[in-house]
């Protein structure tokens, strides 16, 4: 089946995409929603240009859609309808145990006439982390509400144990932390991450990063390709105010109380 993968750049969407490919689905696009100014991901606050490099390393076209939180569902449906016209039959999502997420995903996909695939659903968080690491995926923490010291740390079992001891969800499903994947079985090339400054926005620490694509067995090469942006009816008013949580808007809590737009 021809599908798109809902993309944030983090561990769950990467593992879900891997599973979809393993199940012989054809993942034709990565779908990512970005801020109205086109600078950052709505979910994790990662630079749109960094996500574009990540998609280049994977080798699957990235579609980035500008949207406000208020118009998120409208713009999601619009772009998915456009993809459906191009032959897309389903969407892949990395949700694992938050029922409100599943209900939203299944509802909106049903309303536009495609199938929702949630290959991680119902699998224990610890098992997903173990599988992710066993598959040789590599990821780093790029945002957290726990402690600044977690920024830049490589995701491994020791880190997950440390996070769990704080009473947090092992995979950070309640927004405790977010990751950025740099390598793994879905990647054609690896990514080298360069650390930038850390910023605290509304009790969330963000790690500013830049990346280079590394050819297998070769030297790093810097790409300056601009991220593609599609979907015509995108909000044009730029806003710097802190957004409400998705649950407050009737949207799923992909990033509860997300504050990514506050970064400049």
């Amino acid at each position: 089946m021809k599908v798109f993968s809902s993309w944030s750049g983090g561990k769950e969407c990467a593992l879900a995409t891997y599973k979809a490919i393993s199940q012989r689905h054809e993942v034709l696009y990565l779908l990512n929603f970005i801020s109205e100014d086109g600078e950052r991901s709505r979910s994790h606050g990662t630079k749109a240009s960094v996500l574009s490099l990540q998609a280049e390393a994977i080798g699957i076209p990235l579609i980035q859609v500008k949207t406000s939180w208020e118009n998120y569902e409208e713009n999601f449906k619009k772009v998915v309808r456009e993809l459906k016209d191009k032959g897309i039959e389903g969407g892949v999502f990395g949700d694992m145990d938050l029922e409100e997420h599943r209900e939203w995903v299944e509802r909106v996909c049903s309303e536009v006439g495609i199938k929702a695939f949630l290959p991680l659903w119902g699998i224990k968080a610890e098992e997903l982390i173990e599988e992710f690491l066993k598959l040789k995926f590599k990821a780093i923490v790029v945002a957290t509400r726990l402690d600044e010291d977690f920024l830049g740390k490589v995701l491994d079992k020791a880190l997950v144990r440390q996070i769990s001891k704080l009473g947090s969800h092992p995979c950070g499903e309640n927004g405790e932390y977010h990751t950025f994947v740099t390598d793994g079985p879905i990647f054609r090339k690896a990514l080298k991450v360069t650390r930038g400054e850390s910023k605290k926005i509304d009790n969330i620490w963000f790690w500013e990063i830049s990346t280079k694509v590394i050819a297998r067995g070769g030297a790093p090469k810097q790409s300056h390709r601009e991220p593609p942006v599609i979907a015509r009816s995108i909000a044009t008013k730029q806003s710097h105010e802190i957004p409400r949580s998705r649950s407050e808007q009737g949207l799923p809590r992909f990033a509860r109380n997300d504050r990514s737009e506050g970064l400049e």
Side-chain angles (χ1 to χ4, degrees), residues 124-142:
K124 291 182 179 180
E126 294 81 3
E127 293 178 12
L128 289 175
I129 292 291
E130 184 174 354
E131 181 179 9
F132 182 85
L133 297 174
K134 187 176 181 180
L135 289 168
K136 305 299 183 183
F137 275 108
K138 297 179 181 179
I140 57 172
V141 176
V142 292

Side-chain angles (χ1 to χ4, degrees), residues 4-6 16 76 91-95 104-105 109 115-120:
F4 69 85
S5 181
S6 181
F76 180 92
V92 178
F93 302 85
D95 302 294
W104 187 88
V105 163
C109 286
K115 185 173 181 180
F117 293 99
L118 291 84
L120 310 186

Side-chain angles (χ1 to χ4, degrees), residues 73-89:
E73 183 172 319
E74 174 188 348
N75 286 324
F76 180 92
K77 288 180 177 179
K78 179 177 177 61
V79 69
V80 171
R81 287 191 182 101
E82 293 177 357
L83 292 176
K84 183 182 176 184
D85 290 340
K86 294 181 179 181
I88 291 297
E89 303 165 275

Side-chain angles (χ1 to χ4, degrees), residues 55-241:
E56 179 182 319
I58 293 170
I60 299 176
L62 176 69
I63 295 172
Q64 292 183 302
V65 181
K66 296 179 182 178
T67 186
S68 66
W69 284 125
E70 288 74 15
N71 294 327
Y72 186 94
E73 183 172 319
E74 174 188 348
N75 286 324
F76 180 92
K77 288 180 177 179
K78 179 177 177 61
V79 69
V80 171
R81 287 191 182 101
E82 293 177 357
L83 292 176
K84 183 182 176 184
D85 290 340
K86 294 181 179 181
I88 291 297
E89 303 165 275
V92 178
F93 302 85
D95 302 294
M96 64 179 70
D97 60 16
L98 293 178
E99 191 61 42
E100 63 179 298
H101 287 205
R102 180 172 183 168
E103 290 175 357
W104 187 88
V105 163
E106 291 182 341
R107 175 179 62 80
V108 296
C109 286
S110 176
E111 289 175 0
V112 297
I114 67 167
K115 185 173 181 180
F117 293 99
L118 291 84
L120 310 186
W121 187 260
I123 303 176
K124 291 182 179 180
E126 294 81 3
E127 293 178 12
L128 289 175
I129 292 291
E130 184 174 354
E131 181 179 9
F132 182 85
L133 297 174
K134 187 176 181 180
L135 289 168
K136 305 299 183 183
F137 275 108
K138 297 179 181 179
I140 57 172
V141 176
V142 292
T144 181
R145 61 177 72 251
L146 300 175
D147 191 294
E148 182 184 6
D149 289 341
F150 285 112
L151 292 177
K153 286 193 174 182
V154 175
L155 184 70
D156 56 21
K157 291 182 179 180
L159 179 62
V160 173
R161 284 195 297 269
Q162 187 178 358
I163 289 171
S164 298
K165 286 181 180 179
L166 297 175
S168 298
H169 190 288
C171 289
E173 279 295 275
N174 296 307
E176 296 95 335
Y177 73 100
H178 297 303
T179 58
F180 179 80
V181 181
T182 59
D183 202 358
I186 64 173
F187 282 72
R188 295 182 179 179
K189 302 174 183 178
L191 289 170
K192 180 179 180 180
V193 172
T194 301
R195 177 169 188 157
E197 63 179 327
S198 302
K199 291 186 178 182
K200 190 176 185 181
I201 307 296
D202 196 47
N203 295 320
I204 300 178
W205 285 101
F206 292 93
W207 196 46
E208 196 72 272
I209 62 173
S210 59
T211 61
K212 290 181 179 180
V213 176
I214 305 174
R216 300 295 187 193
K221 68 172 184 178
Q222 183 71 53
S223 172
H224 301 285
R225 183 181 62 151
E226 292 299 318
V229 180
I230 73 168
R232 294 179 298 278
S233 65
I234 305 304
T236 56
K237 179 182 177 182
Q238 182 172 338
S239 173
H240 295 288
E241 67 181 61

